[in-house]
Protein backbone atom coordinates (compact mmCIF):
# COMPACT_ATOMS: atom_id res chain seq x y z
CA UNK A 1 0.00 0.00 0.00
CA UNK A 2 1.10 3.58 -0.58
CA UNK A 3 0.62 4.08 3.15
CA UNK A 4 3.68 1.94 3.84
CA UNK A 5 5.63 3.78 1.19
CA UNK A 6 4.90 7.13 2.79
CA UNK A 7 5.30 6.02 6.40
CA UNK A 8 8.99 7.04 6.39
CA UNK A 9 8.09 10.48 5.01
CA UNK A 10 5.33 10.83 7.59
CA UNK A 11 7.77 10.00 10.41
CA UNK A 12 10.30 12.50 9.09
CA UNK A 13 7.63 15.20 8.90
CA UNK A 14 6.50 14.35 12.43
CA UNK A 15 10.08 14.71 13.66
CA UNK A 16 10.36 18.11 11.99
CA UNK A 17 7.00 19.37 13.34
CA UNK A 18 7.66 18.00 16.83
CA UNK A 19 11.25 19.28 16.78
CA UNK A 20 10.18 22.83 15.90
CA UNK A 21 7.34 22.78 18.42
CA UNK A 22 9.58 21.28 21.11
CA UNK A 23 12.20 23.98 20.55
CA UNK A 24 9.51 26.66 20.75
CA UNK A 25 8.18 25.22 24.01
CA UNK A 26 11.68 25.09 25.50
CA UNK A 27 12.36 28.63 24.38
CA UNK A 28 9.10 29.87 25.95
CA UNK A 29 9.78 27.97 29.20
CA UNK A 30 13.30 29.36 29.56
CA UNK A 31 12.27 32.87 28.54
CA UNK A 32 9.40 32.85 31.07
CA UNK A 33 11.64 31.42 33.79
CA UNK A 34 14.44 33.94 33.16
CA UNK A 35 11.98 36.85 33.08
CA UNK A 36 10.25 35.85 36.33
CA UNK A 37 13.54 35.16 38.12
CA UNK A 38 15.08 38.43 36.93
CA UNK A 39 12.05 40.35 38.21
CA UNK A 40 12.17 38.65 41.62
CA UNK A 41 15.90 39.32 41.95
CA UNK A 42 15.53 42.95 40.93
CA UNK A 43 12.75 43.43 43.45
CA UNK A 44 14.79 41.77 46.22
CA UNK A 45 17.83 43.93 45.46
CA UNK A 46 15.83 47.18 45.73
CA UNK A 47 14.17 45.86 48.86
CA UNK A 48 17.48 45.07 50.57
CA UNK A 49 18.94 48.50 49.84
CA UNK A 50 15.77 50.11 51.28
CA UNK A 51 16.03 47.86 54.33
CA UNK A 52 19.62 49.01 54.92
CA UNK A 53 18.43 52.67 55.04
CA UNK A 54 15.68 51.71 57.43
CA UNK A 55 18.00 49.70 59.72
CA UNK A 56 20.64 52.45 59.58
CA UNK A 57 18.08 55.01 60.78
CA UNK A 58 17.11 52.81 63.69
CA UNK A 59 20.79 52.26 64.54
CA UNK A 60 21.52 56.00 64.54
CA UNK A 61 18.33 56.90 66.44
CA UNK A 62 18.26 54.17 69.07
CA UNK A 63 21.38 52.04 68.62
CA UNK A 64 19.21 49.09 67.57
CA UNK A 65 21.25 46.42 65.75
CA UNK A 66 20.19 45.73 62.14
CA UNK A 67 19.75 41.93 62.49
CA UNK A 68 18.07 39.92 65.22
CA UNK A 69 20.10 37.30 67.10
CA UNK A 70 17.96 34.53 65.55
CA UNK A 71 18.56 35.61 61.95
CA UNK A 72 22.31 35.85 62.64
CA UNK A 73 22.32 32.38 64.20
CA UNK A 74 20.35 30.89 61.30
CA UNK A 75 22.30 32.88 58.75
CA UNK A 76 19.10 34.22 57.16
CA UNK A 77 20.05 37.90 57.50
CA UNK A 78 23.52 39.19 58.38
CA UNK A 79 25.07 42.64 58.71
CA UNK A 80 28.52 44.21 58.68
CA UNK A 81 29.04 47.87 59.52
CA UNK A 82 32.39 49.53 58.80
CA UNK A 83 33.79 53.06 58.65
CA UNK A 84 33.78 54.65 55.16
CA UNK A 85 37.46 53.77 54.64
CA UNK A 86 36.60 50.15 55.53
CA UNK A 87 39.39 49.96 58.11
CA UNK A 88 37.43 49.95 61.36
CA UNK A 89 34.55 47.58 62.04
CA UNK A 90 31.74 49.29 63.95
CA UNK A 91 29.38 46.32 64.14
CA UNK A 92 29.92 42.69 63.08
CA UNK A 93 26.82 40.54 62.72
CA UNK A 94 28.27 37.88 60.43
CA UNK A 95 27.93 35.16 63.05
CA UNK A 96 30.63 32.58 63.66
CA UNK A 97 31.90 29.56 61.81
CA UNK A 98 31.63 28.51 58.21
CA UNK A 99 29.18 31.14 56.99
CA UNK A 100 31.39 33.93 58.23
CA UNK A 101 34.43 32.25 56.68
CA UNK A 102 32.58 31.80 53.40
CA UNK A 103 31.49 35.43 53.28
CA UNK A 104 35.02 36.70 53.85
CA UNK A 105 36.33 34.26 51.29
CA UNK A 106 34.11 35.96 48.75
CA UNK A 107 34.91 39.45 49.97
CA UNK A 108 35.83 40.52 46.43
CA UNK A 109 32.25 39.89 45.31
CA UNK A 110 30.67 42.18 47.88
CA UNK A 111 29.13 45.19 46.12
CA UNK A 112 31.61 48.05 45.95
CA UNK A 113 29.23 50.80 44.82
CA UNK A 114 26.94 52.34 47.44
CA UNK A 115 23.17 51.71 47.09
CA UNK A 116 23.69 48.59 45.01
CA UNK A 117 23.16 44.89 45.59
CA UNK A 118 24.52 41.76 43.94
CA UNK A 119 24.34 38.00 44.29
CA UNK A 120 27.41 36.28 45.67
CA UNK A 121 27.66 33.54 43.09
CA UNK A 122 29.04 30.75 45.25
CA UNK A 123 27.01 28.73 47.70
CA UNK A 124 28.16 28.74 51.32
CA UNK A 125 27.58 25.67 53.52
CA UNK A 126 27.07 25.99 57.27
CA UNK A 127 28.14 23.50 59.96
CA UNK A 128 24.99 21.42 59.42
CA UNK A 129 25.68 21.19 55.70
CA UNK A 130 22.80 23.52 54.77
CA UNK A 131 23.43 25.64 51.70
CA UNK A 132 23.10 29.42 51.71
CA UNK A 133 23.22 31.73 48.74
CA UNK A 134 23.55 35.40 49.67
CA UNK A 135 22.32 38.59 48.16
CA UNK A 136 24.66 41.35 49.39
CA UNK A 137 23.83 45.07 49.46
CA UNK A 138 25.62 48.17 50.76
CA UNK A 139 24.37 51.65 51.63
CA UNK A 140 25.71 54.60 53.67
CA UNK A 141 24.69 55.18 57.29
CA UNK A 142 23.96 58.90 57.63
CA UNK A 143 23.97 60.85 60.89
CA UNK A 144 22.90 64.46 60.47
CA UNK A 145 24.13 64.54 56.85
CA UNK A 146 27.50 63.01 57.76
CA UNK A 147 28.42 59.53 56.50
CA UNK A 148 29.12 57.56 59.63
CA UNK A 149 29.92 54.29 57.86
CA UNK A 150 28.89 51.72 55.26
CA UNK A 151 26.40 49.07 56.22
CA UNK A 152 26.51 45.75 54.37
CA UNK A 153 23.56 43.42 54.67
CA UNK A 154 23.38 39.83 53.46
CA UNK A 155 20.09 38.10 52.74
CA UNK A 156 19.93 34.32 52.28
CA UNK A 157 18.21 33.64 48.95
CA UNK A 158 18.47 29.84 49.05
CA UNK A 159 14.72 29.51 49.58
CA UNK A 160 14.04 31.55 46.43
CA UNK A 161 16.53 29.48 44.46
CA UNK A 162 14.89 26.27 45.57
CA UNK A 163 11.44 27.62 44.73
CA UNK A 164 12.69 28.76 41.33
CA UNK A 165 14.27 25.36 40.66
CA UNK A 166 11.04 23.56 41.61
CA UNK A 167 9.09 25.89 39.33
CA UNK A 168 11.51 25.24 36.48
CA UNK A 169 11.21 21.50 37.02
CA UNK A 170 7.40 21.72 36.95
CA UNK A 171 7.52 23.88 33.83
CA UNK A 172 9.79 21.33 32.15
CA UNK A 173 7.36 18.54 33.09
CA UNK A 174 4.54 20.49 31.45
CA UNK A 175 6.84 21.11 28.46
CA UNK A 176 7.51 17.36 28.17
CA UNK A 177 3.79 16.68 28.24
CA UNK A 178 3.21 19.34 25.58
CA UNK A 179 6.03 17.83 23.54
CA UNK A 180 4.38 14.39 23.68
CA UNK A 181 1.14 16.02 22.52
CA UNK A 182 3.08 17.81 19.77
CA UNK A 183 4.48 14.46 18.57
CA UNK A 184 1.01 12.95 18.47
CA UNK A 185 -0.49 16.00 16.79
CA UNK A 186 2.47 16.24 14.38
CA UNK A 187 2.00 12.61 13.37
CA UNK A 188 -1.69 13.16 12.77
CA UNK A 189 -1.04 16.39 10.83
CA UNK A 190 1.67 14.77 8.71
CA UNK A 191 -0.72 11.92 7.91
CA UNK A 192 -3.38 14.39 6.82
CA UNK A 193 -0.93 16.36 4.67
CA UNK A 194 0.44 13.26 3.00
CA UNK A 195 -2.95 11.73 2.24
CA UNK A 196 -3.65 13.69 -0.98
CA UNK A 197 -0.08 13.15 -2.21
CA UNK A 198 -0.42 9.46 -1.44
CA UNK A 199 -3.69 9.23 -3.34
CA UNK A 200 -2.16 10.99 -6.33
CA UNK A 201 0.83 8.69 -6.15
CA UNK A 202 -1.40 5.62 -5.99
CA UNK A 203 -3.34 6.84 -9.04
CA UNK A 204 -0.09 7.41 -10.89
CA UNK A 205 1.14 3.94 -9.96
CA UNK A 206 -2.15 2.48 -11.10
CA UNK A 207 -1.76 4.33 -14.38
CA UNK A 208 1.81 3.02 -14.83
CA UNK A 209 0.70 -0.52 -14.05
CA UNK A 210 -2.27 -0.29 -16.43
CA UNK A 211 -0.29 1.36 -19.20
CA UNK A 212 2.53 -1.20 -18.90
CA UNK A 213 -0.02 -3.96 -18.91
CA UNK A 214 -1.71 -2.58 -22.03
CA UNK A 215 1.63 -2.23 -23.79
CA UNK A 216 2.62 -5.79 -23.03
CA UNK A 217 0.58 -7.52 -25.76
CA UNK A 218 1.40 -5.13 -28.63
CA UNK A 219 5.06 -5.29 -27.65
CA UNK A 220 4.98 -9.08 -27.60
CA UNK A 221 3.42 -9.02 -31.09
CA UNK A 222 6.03 -6.53 -32.28
CA UNK A 223 8.84 -8.66 -30.82
CA UNK A 224 7.49 -11.74 -32.58
CA UNK A 225 7.06 -9.89 -35.86
CA UNK A 226 10.53 -8.36 -35.84
CA UNK A 227 12.09 -11.67 -34.81
CA UNK A 228 10.18 -13.25 -37.71
CA UNK A 229 11.54 -10.64 -40.12
CA UNK A 230 15.03 -11.20 -38.83
CA UNK A 231 14.79 -14.95 -39.22
CA UNK A 232 13.17 -14.77 -42.64
CA UNK A 233 15.90 -16.01 -44.88
CA UNK A 234 13.82 -16.04 -48.08
CA UNK A 235 13.43 -12.28 -48.28
CA UNK A 236 16.24 -10.29 -49.78
CA UNK A 237 16.73 -7.24 -47.56
CA UNK A 238 19.05 -4.39 -48.27
CA UNK A 239 21.78 -3.72 -45.71
CA UNK A 240 19.83 -0.70 -44.49
CA UNK A 241 16.67 -2.80 -43.97
CA UNK A 242 18.68 -5.46 -42.10
CA UNK A 243 20.17 -2.84 -39.83
CA UNK A 244 16.74 -1.36 -39.24
CA UNK A 245 15.24 -4.77 -38.38
CA UNK A 246 18.13 -5.43 -35.97
CA UNK A 247 17.54 -2.08 -34.33
CA UNK A 248 13.79 -2.74 -34.11
CA UNK A 249 14.45 -6.12 -32.45
CA UNK A 250 16.82 -4.58 -29.92
CA UNK A 251 14.55 -1.68 -29.03
CA UNK A 252 11.46 -3.90 -28.82
CA UNK A 253 13.28 -6.14 -26.35
CA UNK A 254 14.29 -3.10 -24.34
CA UNK A 255 10.72 -1.79 -24.31
CA UNK A 256 9.43 -5.20 -23.20
CA UNK A 257 11.90 -5.33 -20.33
CA UNK A 258 11.08 -1.76 -19.37
CA UNK A 259 7.32 -2.41 -19.25
CA UNK A 260 7.87 -5.65 -17.28
CA UNK A 261 10.04 -3.83 -14.74
CA UNK A 262 7.65 -0.90 -14.47
CA UNK A 263 4.73 -3.21 -13.94
CA UNK A 264 6.47 -5.07 -11.17
CA UNK A 265 7.61 -1.89 -9.47
CA UNK A 266 4.10 -0.46 -9.64
CA UNK A 267 2.70 -3.67 -8.20
CA UNK A 268 5.36 -3.57 -5.49
CA UNK A 269 4.33 -0.02 -4.55
CA UNK A 270 0.70 -1.02 -4.39
CA UNK A 271 1.69 -3.85 -2.11
CA UNK A 272 0.15 -6.29 -4.52
CA UNK A 273 3.31 -8.28 -5.21
CA UNK A 274 2.54 -11.83 -4.16
CA UNK A 275 3.10 -12.29 -0.43
CA UNK A 276 5.77 -14.70 0.79
CA UNK A 277 4.17 -18.03 0.50
CA UNK A 278 6.10 -20.98 -0.94
CA UNK A 279 9.11 -22.73 0.42
CA UNK A 280 12.03 -21.87 -1.83
CA UNK A 281 15.17 -23.98 -2.06
CA UNK A 282 17.67 -21.15 -2.39
CA UNK A 283 20.63 -23.52 -2.75
CA UNK A 284 19.21 -24.97 -5.97
CA UNK A 285 18.02 -21.59 -7.21
CA UNK A 286 21.39 -19.90 -6.60
CA UNK A 287 23.29 -22.75 -8.25
CA UNK A 288 20.97 -22.68 -11.27
CA UNK A 289 21.08 -18.91 -11.78
CA UNK A 290 24.85 -18.90 -11.09
CA UNK A 291 25.39 -21.52 -13.80
CA UNK A 292 23.18 -19.66 -16.31
CA UNK A 293 24.91 -16.35 -15.74
CA UNK A 294 28.37 -17.96 -15.75
CA UNK A 295 27.83 -18.64 -19.47
CA UNK A 296 27.03 -14.99 -20.10
CA UNK A 297 30.06 -13.93 -18.05
CA UNK A 298 32.29 -16.30 -20.00
CA UNK A 299 31.29 -14.63 -23.27
CA UNK A 300 32.72 -11.41 -21.83
CA UNK A 301 35.88 -13.11 -20.59
CA UNK A 302 34.76 -12.90 -16.97
CA UNK A 303 34.98 -15.80 -14.52
CA UNK A 304 31.90 -16.20 -12.34
CA UNK A 305 32.82 -18.27 -9.26
CA UNK A 306 29.80 -19.51 -7.33
CA UNK A 307 30.10 -20.77 -3.78
CA UNK A 308 26.67 -21.91 -2.64
CA UNK A 309 25.96 -23.74 0.63
CA UNK A 310 23.44 -26.58 0.78
CA UNK A 311 20.15 -26.55 2.65
CA UNK A 312 19.27 -22.89 2.31
CA UNK A 313 15.49 -22.81 2.56
CA UNK A 314 13.27 -19.80 2.94
CA UNK A 315 9.67 -18.78 2.56
CA UNK A 316 9.27 -16.50 -0.39
CA UNK A 317 8.37 -15.83 -3.95
CA UNK A 318 10.62 -17.97 -6.14
CA UNK A 319 10.11 -16.00 -9.35
CA UNK A 320 10.94 -12.73 -7.59
CA UNK A 321 14.03 -14.20 -5.91
CA UNK A 322 15.16 -15.59 -9.26
CA UNK A 323 14.78 -12.06 -10.62
CA UNK A 324 16.78 -10.62 -7.74
CA UNK A 325 19.71 -12.95 -8.38
CA UNK A 326 19.67 -12.23 -12.10
CA UNK A 327 19.66 -8.46 -11.50
CA UNK A 328 22.64 -8.60 -9.13
CA UNK A 329 24.71 -11.00 -11.22
CA UNK A 330 23.80 -9.33 -14.49
CA UNK A 331 24.89 -5.95 -13.10
CA UNK A 332 28.16 -7.41 -11.86
CA UNK A 333 28.82 -8.78 -15.35
CA UNK A 334 27.69 -5.58 -17.08
CA UNK A 335 29.94 -3.33 -15.01
CA UNK A 336 33.01 -5.61 -14.91
CA UNK A 337 36.02 -5.52 -17.16
CA UNK A 338 37.22 -8.51 -19.15
CA UNK A 339 39.69 -10.85 -17.49
CA UNK A 340 38.31 -10.20 -14.04
CA UNK A 341 36.37 -12.47 -11.70
CA UNK A 342 33.02 -12.26 -9.93
CA UNK A 343 32.42 -14.11 -6.66
CA UNK A 344 28.88 -15.18 -5.94
CA UNK A 345 28.40 -16.46 -2.40
CA UNK A 346 25.22 -17.82 -0.82
CA UNK A 347 25.73 -18.86 2.76
CA UNK A 348 24.07 -19.07 6.15
CA UNK A 349 24.78 -16.28 8.59
CA UNK A 350 23.05 -16.82 11.97
CA UNK A 351 19.46 -17.37 10.93
CA UNK A 352 19.79 -15.48 7.68
CA UNK A 353 20.72 -16.18 4.14
CA UNK A 354 23.63 -13.99 3.13
CA UNK A 355 23.96 -13.37 -0.59
CA UNK A 356 27.13 -11.66 -1.75
CA UNK A 357 28.00 -10.64 -5.30
CA UNK A 358 31.54 -9.29 -5.43
CA UNK A 359 32.95 -7.90 -8.65
CA UNK A 360 36.15 -6.17 -9.69
CA UNK A 361 34.40 -3.67 -11.94
CA UNK A 362 34.18 0.11 -12.01
CA UNK A 363 32.74 0.38 -8.45
CA UNK A 364 30.13 2.82 -7.14
CA UNK A 365 31.10 6.07 -5.42
CA UNK A 366 29.85 6.76 -1.87
CA UNK A 367 27.67 9.55 -3.20
CA UNK A 368 25.89 7.16 -5.59
CA UNK A 369 25.53 4.22 -3.23
CA UNK A 370 22.05 5.20 -2.00
CA UNK A 371 20.94 6.72 -5.29
CA UNK A 372 21.46 3.55 -7.34
CA UNK A 373 18.28 2.19 -5.74
CA UNK A 374 16.27 5.12 -7.14
CA UNK A 375 14.21 4.51 -10.22
CA UNK A 376 15.90 5.34 -13.51
CA UNK A 377 19.10 6.32 -11.74
CA UNK A 378 22.20 5.37 -13.67
CA UNK A 379 25.66 6.46 -12.53
CA UNK A 380 27.14 6.55 -16.00
CA UNK A 381 24.16 6.91 -18.34
CA UNK A 382 26.06 6.27 -21.55
CA UNK A 383 27.76 3.18 -20.15
CA UNK A 384 24.57 1.80 -18.64
CA UNK A 385 22.68 2.39 -21.86
CA UNK A 386 25.36 0.73 -23.94
CA UNK A 387 24.99 -2.28 -21.63
CA UNK A 388 21.23 -2.29 -22.16
CA UNK A 389 20.61 -0.80 -18.69
CA UNK A 390 17.34 0.94 -17.85
CA UNK A 391 18.14 2.13 -14.35
CA UNK A 392 15.33 0.04 -12.88
CA UNK A 393 17.16 -3.17 -11.92
CA UNK A 394 18.35 -2.19 -8.46
CA UNK A 395 15.09 -0.45 -7.50
CA UNK A 396 13.28 -3.65 -8.42
CA UNK A 397 15.90 -5.65 -6.47
CA UNK A 398 15.26 -3.46 -3.43
CA UNK A 399 11.48 -3.87 -3.78
CA UNK A 400 11.92 -7.66 -3.88
CA UNK A 401 14.23 -7.64 -0.85
CA UNK A 402 11.84 -5.44 1.13
CA UNK A 403 8.94 -7.66 0.10
CA UNK A 404 10.90 -10.47 1.81
CA UNK A 405 11.60 -8.24 4.84
CA UNK A 406 15.31 -8.34 4.10
CA UNK A 407 18.14 -5.86 3.66
CA UNK A 408 20.25 -4.87 0.67
CA UNK A 409 23.53 -2.97 0.85
CA UNK A 410 26.19 -1.71 -1.56
CA UNK A 411 29.77 -1.90 -0.32
CA UNK A 412 33.17 -1.26 -1.84
CA UNK A 413 35.26 -4.18 -2.94
CA UNK A 414 38.99 -3.81 -2.28
CA UNK A 415 41.07 -2.83 -4.23
CA UNK A 416 38.33 -2.18 -6.79
CA UNK A 417 34.76 -3.11 -7.62
CA UNK A 418 31.46 -3.46 -5.86
CA UNK A 419 29.96 -5.81 -3.31
CA UNK A 420 26.19 -6.22 -3.33
CA UNK A 421 25.07 -7.79 -0.09
CA UNK A 422 21.59 -9.13 0.63
CA UNK A 423 20.33 -10.54 3.91
CA UNK A 424 17.10 -12.58 3.96
CA UNK A 425 15.68 -14.58 6.86
CA UNK A 426 15.86 -18.32 6.49
CA UNK A 427 13.28 -20.84 7.64
CA UNK A 428 13.66 -21.83 11.25
CA UNK A 429 14.32 -25.62 11.32
P1 LIG B 1 20.89 -0.51 -14.94
O1 LIG B 1 19.80 -1.19 -15.66
O2 LIG B 1 21.29 0.81 -15.53
O3 LIG B 1 22.04 -1.39 -14.65
P2 LIG B 1 20.34 -0.65 -12.12
O4 LIG B 1 19.20 -0.08 -11.34
O5 LIG B 1 20.51 -2.11 -12.11
O6 LIG B 1 20.20 -0.07 -13.57
O7 LIG B 1 21.64 0.02 -11.59
C1 LIG B 1 21.68 1.41 -11.40
C2 LIG B 1 23.09 1.94 -11.65
O8 LIG B 1 23.94 1.45 -10.64
C3 LIG B 1 23.69 1.45 -12.93
O9 LIG B 1 23.38 2.31 -14.00
C4 LIG B 1 25.18 1.45 -12.64
O10 LIG B 1 25.70 2.73 -12.91
C5 LIG B 1 25.25 1.20 -11.15
N1 LIG B 1 25.59 -0.19 -10.83
C6 LIG B 1 24.75 -1.21 -10.52
N2 LIG B 1 25.44 -2.33 -10.25
C7 LIG B 1 26.74 -2.03 -10.38
C8 LIG B 1 27.96 -2.75 -10.22
N3 LIG B 1 27.98 -4.04 -9.88
N4 LIG B 1 29.12 -2.08 -10.42
C9 LIG B 1 29.13 -0.78 -10.77
N5 LIG B 1 28.02 -0.04 -10.94
C10 LIG B 1 26.84 -0.64 -10.76
Amino acid sequence: MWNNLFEGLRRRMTCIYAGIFGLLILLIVFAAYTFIWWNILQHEKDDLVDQIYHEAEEWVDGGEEPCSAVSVREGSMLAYFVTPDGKTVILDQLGQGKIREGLFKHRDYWPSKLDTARMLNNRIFDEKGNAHRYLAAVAPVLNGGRVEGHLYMFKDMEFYYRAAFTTLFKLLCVAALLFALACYFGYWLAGRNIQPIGKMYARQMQFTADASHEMRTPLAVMALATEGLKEDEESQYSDFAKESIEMLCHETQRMSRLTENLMELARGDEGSLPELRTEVDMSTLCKRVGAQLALLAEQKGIALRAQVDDNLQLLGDEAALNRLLIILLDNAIKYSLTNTAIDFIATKSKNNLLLVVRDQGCGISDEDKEKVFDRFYRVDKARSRSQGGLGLGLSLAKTIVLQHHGEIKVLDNKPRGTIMQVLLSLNKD
Side-chain angles (χ1 to χ4, degrees), residues 80-84 86-91 148-152:
Y80 193 67
F81 184 19
V82 287
T83 52
K87 286 186 179 151
T88 315
V89 180
I90 304 168
L91 177 72
E148 205 162 282
H150 293 167
L151 179 58
Y152 289 89

Side-chain angles (χ1 to χ4, degrees), residues 181-249:
L181 275 175
C183 289
Y184 177 77
F185 183 67
Y187 188 68
W188 174 80
L189 199 67
R192 266 186 74 99
N193 288 347
I194 284 173
Q195 223 164 31
I197 308 171
K199 278 187 184 152
M200 244 165 62
Y201 187 80
R203 267 208 296 274
Q204 201 183 329
M205 279 303 113
Q206 188 60 47
F207 170 76
T208 313
D210 292 349
S212 315
H213 191 260
E214 289 305 313
M215 279 160 75
R216 223 174 165 191
T217 319
L219 275 171
V221 175
M222 275 166 72
L224 264 177
T226 45
E227 277 297 324
L229 280 175
K230 207 168 119 182
E231 308 281 302
D232 183 9
E233 281 162 9
E234 282 170 23
S235 306
Q236 296 291 312
Y237 296 120
S238 66
D239 285 348
F240 173 72
K242 277 186 196 157
E243 232 173 77
S244 302
I245 292 169
E246 187 62 48
M247 210 165 69
L248 270 172
C249 265

Side-chain angles (χ1 to χ4, degrees), residues 276 280 282 285-286 312-318 320-322 324-325 328 344 346-356 397-409 421-428:
L276 318 174
V280 185
M282 284 303 281
L285 185 66
C286 289
L312 301 170
Q313 311 276 344
L314 56 74
L315 270 188
D317 175 356
E318 184 159 353
L321 290 166
N322 185 62
L324 168 71
L325 296 176
L328 299 183
F344 171 39
T347 187
K348 202 170 170 175
S349 158
K350 293 186 185 156
N351 216 9
N352 294 311
L353 163 64
L354 175 67
L355 294 171
V356 176
K398 189 168 179 175
T399 306
I400 295 169
V401 172
L402 293 183
Q403 179 207 357
H404 287 78
H405 311 294
E407 267 177 33
I408 183 164
K409 265 193 222 162
Q421 190 177 295
V422 174
L423 215 59
L424 300 168
S425 10
L426 285 171
N427 279 358
K428 294 188 185 77

Side-chain angles (χ1 to χ4, degrees), residues 23-304:
L23 263 176
L24 267 176
I25 299 172
L26 274 183
L27 218 74
I28 292 170
V29 164
F30 281 109
Y33 172 78
T34 314
F35 180 71
I36 294 170
W37 180 237
W38 185 81
N39 265 316
I40 291 176
L41 209 63
Q42 220 46 43
H43 177 263
E44 286 301 311
K45 281 179 180 174
D46 293 346
D47 225 37
L48 195 59
V49 173
D50 285 350
Q51 194 176 347
I52 294 180
Y53 275 102
H54 173 73
E55 300 296 345
E57 219 175 282
E58 289 194 341
W59 164 261
V60 171
D61 292 348
E64 196 181 318
E65 293 183 345
C67 304
S68 70
V70 180
S71 62
V72 173
R73 196 172 56 243
E74 288 176 351
S76 57
M77 185 69 90
L78 305 166
Y80 193 67
F81 184 19
V82 287
T83 52
D85 58 8
K87 286 186 179 151
T88 315
V89 180
I90 304 168
L91 177 72
D92 184 340
Q93 285 196 296
L94 294 183
Q96 297 298 325
K98 286 191 170 176
I99 293 183
R100 180 189 181 76
E101 256 173 51
L103 283 174
F104 276 115
K105 211 166 128 193
H106 302 118
R107 182 77 171 86
D108 293 347
Y109 292 101
W110 294 13
S112 48
K113 250 173 89 185
L114 289 177
D115 298 331
T116 60
R118 71 185 294 192
M119 279 303 301
L120 306 184
N121 279 338
N122 292 354
R123 279 166 142 196
I124 299 172
F125 291 91
D126 63 19
E127 280 70 14
K128 291 179 192 156
N130 295 328
H132 301 266
R133 227 185 279 237
Y134 286 103
L135 174 67
V138 63
V141 177
L142 301 168
N143 192 357
R146 187 171 59 88
V147 178
E148 205 162 282
H150 293 167
L151 179 58
Y152 289 89
M153 286 192 78
F154 302 88
K155 182 175 182 175
D156 185 8
M157 297 285 286
E158 186 62 21
F159 168 78
Y160 292 86
Y161 267 89
R162 279 180 195 276
F165 183 76
T166 315
T167 311
L168 180 64
F169 178 73
K170 284 180 184 163
L171 280 174
L172 284 176
C173 287
V174 174
L177 202 80
L178 285 176
F179 183 69
L181 275 175
C183 289
Y184 177 77
F185 183 67
Y187 188 68
W188 174 80
L189 199 67
R192 266 186 74 99
N193 288 347
I194 284 173
Q195 223 164 31
I197 308 171
K199 278 187 184 152
M200 244 165 62
Y201 187 80
R203 267 208 296 274
Q204 201 183 329
M205 279 303 113
Q206 188 60 47
F207 170 76
T208 313
D210 292 349
S212 315
H213 191 260
E214 289 305 313
M215 279 160 75
R216 223 174 165 191
T217 319
L219 275 171
V221 175
M222 275 166 72
L224 264 177
T226 45
E227 277 297 324
L229 280 175
K230 207 168 119 182
E231 308 281 302
D232 183 9
E233 281 162 9
E234 282 170 23
S235 306
Q236 296 291 312
Y237 296 120
S238 66
D239 285 348
F240 173 72
K242 277 186 196 157
E243 232 173 77
S244 302
I245 292 169
E246 187 62 48
M247 210 165 69
L248 270 172
C249 265
H250 183 257
E251 290 305 316
T252 318
Q253 274 169 10
R254 239 172 79 83
M255 282 283 278
S256 303
R257 271 190 292 128
L258 179 65
T259 44
E260 281 298 326
N261 285 351
L262 278 175
M263 230 168 78
E264 275 184 50
L265 279 169
R267 276 198 280 147
D269 289 343
E270 268 178 42
S272 62
L273 275 175
E275 258 304 306
L276 318 174
R277 48 204 159 90
T278 52
E279 184 142 318
V280 185
D281 179 354
M282 284 303 281
S283 300
T284 312
L285 185 66
C286 289
K287 282 178 193 165
R288 196 176 63 222
V289 176
Q292 281 167 2
L293 276 276
L295 294 175
L296 187 69
E298 215 178 283
Q299 285 170 11
K300 278 190 71 183
I302 297 164
L304 200 161

